Amino acid sequence: MSTSPSFCAIDFGTSNSAVAVPDGAGTMRLVELEPGQRTMPTAVFYFTEGRHDADGPPRAFGRAAVAAYVEGHDGRLMRSMKSILGSSLIDQTTDVGGGRGAKYSDIVSGYLKRLRRLAGEPSRAVLGRPVFFVDGEPERDAAAQAQLEACARAVGFIDVQFQYEPIAAAFDFEQQAIREGRGEQIVLVADIGGGTSDFSIVRVGPERARRLARRDDILASHGVHIAGTDFDRHIELAGLLQEFGYRATGPSGRELPSGIYFDLATWHLINTCYAPLRVAEWRGMKSWFGDVRQHARLMTVLEERLGHELAARAEGAKIAVSGGADTTVDLSHVEPGLVLALSEKTAVDALRADLDRIIATAHETVAQAGLRPQQIDALYFTGGSTGLRLLVDGMAAGFPAAARVTGDRFASVATGLGLHAQRLFAAAH
């Protein structure tokens, strides 16, 4: 007779989430969150129609949420929910369609409740957290963790612990190194996901892995709130939205207001672009455009609510150029025959400032540890955005003596959090 696990580990990511639970044999396993999938997009779709049940309003989660949106169901898709933590938005109510409203905190809690149920409803959890939820603002950063803890407790977790996501990834790397017979090493963990780029310098090895207390092995942790969703936004602004009027100059010689374009390129702000007064305002601004086709395209996006689809096309274009090749973006759903070319150079130029800042943060982390780049034995890459060749190659170039190791981009953190949860809770059991 199987019993429900008493604890779990949750990687609540900006883009994707994963959960690890004890497997009954002294190790941890990743939960199948959707058929055949150990990770699930951090996404919720609120249906306009349908009745509330014991779990709340009618919703779909993960891939089913994205599919409901793509298939054109009436409702609202919520993504990048983690980016709300630490802001005043967490206590605000947002329209989710059908005359319904939902607090952002309830949206986060609803998603965590889904993860807890799939894990077997344990009462204790280790949750991953970025090194910084909010850059340079310790009070907001502490508030973000407190908000996430409150959401976790609201859905039934009694004991909630936190671990830095890049440190969790270091635990995963350590297990791989031990299996391969490697000795003690100093590893720079680069966890670059959808919302944050986090780094840790961690001393790992077979002897150290036996200890529960590992604080002394963490030589430095640092991070910056720049990552995959920022890349997507820059690609959308530079490669797509210029055909909709972004940075265009009107007959008056003035550049068009840019706020609508920045909001269209930011997942959790896209729905604000559809407010009736805002749509009406831009409908009346046709004479401001030097190219009326750009105005027509923008109005199609606003009136037909195509902002999320446009953002998805930008993300797809980023992935397509990540290996170093040019690509095209099909926007025929906006205007028949509209296909845009996106070159690697355009992508590089759009991302250069962010990539340079991320790489600089990695070197700052090494300096904080009192080390030189040549003293780093390995670079361990995890997180969805480490699929971007420009970033990985650029970072590796600064650490020529380090071995380049790529973990499971979407599951390394959850696996490491699971190892930490096992050490923490199993030892206390």
Side-chain angles (χ1 to χ4, degrees):
M1 179 178 176
S2 62
T3 58
S4 298
S6 65
F7 65 88
C8 70
I10 296 177
D11 176 19
F12 173 58
T14 302
S15 301
N16 294 276
S17 295
V19 180
V21 296
D23 65 359
T27 56
M28 301 288 285
R29 65 175 177 84
L30 294 179
V31 175
E32 185 175 285
L33 299 179
E34 295 180 300
Q37 302 290 339
R38 301 181 304 163
T39 63
M40 182 168 74
T42 308
V44 183
F45 186 87
Y46 283 78
F47 292 97
T48 297
E49 298 181 352
R51 295 183 177 180
H52 281 63
D53 57 23
D55 287 332
R59 290 165 295 178
F61 298 88
R63 290 172 180 81
V66 177
Y69 168 77
V70 172
E71 290 166 6
H73 290 275
D74 289 335
R76 181 173 177 186
L77 178 67
M78 304 294 296
R79 291 186 66 180
S80 301
M81 295 171 281
K82 191 176 181 180
S83 63
I84 295 166
L85 296 170
S87 75
S88 59
L89 281 175
I90 194 72
D91 294 318
Q92 295 182 17
T93 297
T94 185
D95 176 27
V96 293
R100 297 187 178 111
K103 289 180 64 175
Y104 282 105
S105 59
D106 291 336
I107 294 169
V108 174
S109 295
Y111 188 83
L112 292 177
K113 184 175 184 179
R114 177 74 169 188
L115 295 181
R116 180 172 180 258
R117 174 168 295 176
L118 292 168
E121 300 191 333
S123 61
R124 297 177 291 173
V126 167
L127 270 66
R129 58 150 293 165
V131 175
F132 297 114
F133 281 105
V134 182
D135 293 338
E137 298 186 52
E139 291 183 359
R140 285 185 59 199
D141 185 77
Q145 178 171 309
Q147 290 164 0
L148 182 55
E149 180 175 349
C151 289
R153 291 186 181 280
V155 300
F157 287 112
I158 297 171
D159 188 350
V160 180
Q161 304 291 327
F162 288 90
Q163 179 58 272
Y164 290 128
E165 290 155 357
I167 293 173
F171 294 154
D172 183 48
F173 169 80
E174 182 174 62
Q175 292 300 305
Q176 294 184 34
I178 291 172
R179 288 194 296 269
E180 295 169 3
R182 300 179 193 169
E184 186 169 301
Q185 298 180 82
I186 295 177
V187 57
L188 168 59
V189 178
D191 179 12
I192 304 170
T196 59
S197 294
D198 290 331
F199 302 94
S200 287
I201 309 294
V202 187
R203 188 181 286 112
V204 301
E207 296 299 322
R208 297 182 179 278
R210 298 189 179 100
R211 301 187 301 165
L212 177 61
R214 301 293 301 274
R215 182 177 297 274
D216 292 345
D217 292 334
I218 303 166
L219 307 183
S221 290
H222 193 23
V224 64
H225 206 79
I226 300 172
T229 54
D230 299 287
F231 302 159
D232 296 343
R233 184 171 64 255
H234 290 312
I235 291 292
E236 185 170 357
L237 288 167
L240 278 67
L241 290 178
Q242 292 194 19
E243 296 297 325
F244 294 76
Y246 173 59
R247 303 195 73 174
T249 301
S252 67
R254 294 182 178 180
E255 186 174 299
L256 292 168
S258 59
I260 191 77
Y261 300 104
F262 283 104
D263 290 352
L264 278 173
T266 305
W267 265 98
H268 65 279
L269 296 177
I270 290 173
N271 279 284
T272 67
C273 299
Y274 306 145
L277 287 176
R278 202 171 189 189
V279 174
E281 177 187 15
W282 279 90
R283 187 180 299 117
M285 291 169 62
K286 183 176 181 179
S287 63
W288 291 38
F289 284 71
D291 185 343
V292 294
R293 294 177 303 171
Q294 294 177 349
H295 179 263
R297 293 166 187 158
L298 177 62
M299 294 315 302
T300 297
V301 170
L302 298 181
E303 292 172 347
E304 298 186 17
R305 299 191 169 213
L306 299 176
H308 286 98
E309 177 61 27
L310 201 61
R313 301 287 172 105
E315 181 183 11
K318 177 197 68 176
I319 294 169
V321 300
S322 66
D326 297 345
T327 190
T328 57
V329 186
D330 183 359
L331 298 179
S332 57
H333 65 297
V334 176
E335 177 186 292
L338 182 60
V339 178
L340 306 181
L342 179 65
S343 68
E344 182 188 16
K345 182 181 185 305
T346 298
V348 171
D349 291 345
L351 301 180
R352 177 54 57 201
D354 278 355
L355 299 184
D356 288 347
R357 183 71 189 95
I358 291 170
I359 292 170
T361 303
H363 284 273
E364 289 165 9
T365 312
V366 175
Q368 287 179 8
L371 300 173
R372 299 183 305 277
Q374 55 266 38
Q375 292 176 281
I376 302 299
D377 297 309
L379 300 177
Y380 186 62
F381 292 100
T382 187
S385 294
T386 55
L388 189 64
R389 181 184 63 83
L390 301 170
L391 175 58
V392 173
D393 288 351
M395 190 172 299
F399 300 92
R404 187 192 304 193
V405 182
T406 301
D408 185 321
R409 289 193 290 135
F410 298 107
S412 292
V413 170
T415 300
L417 289 172
L419 291 168
H420 182 63
Q422 186 180 32
R423 292 166 182 161
L424 191 64
F425 293 131
H429 185 66

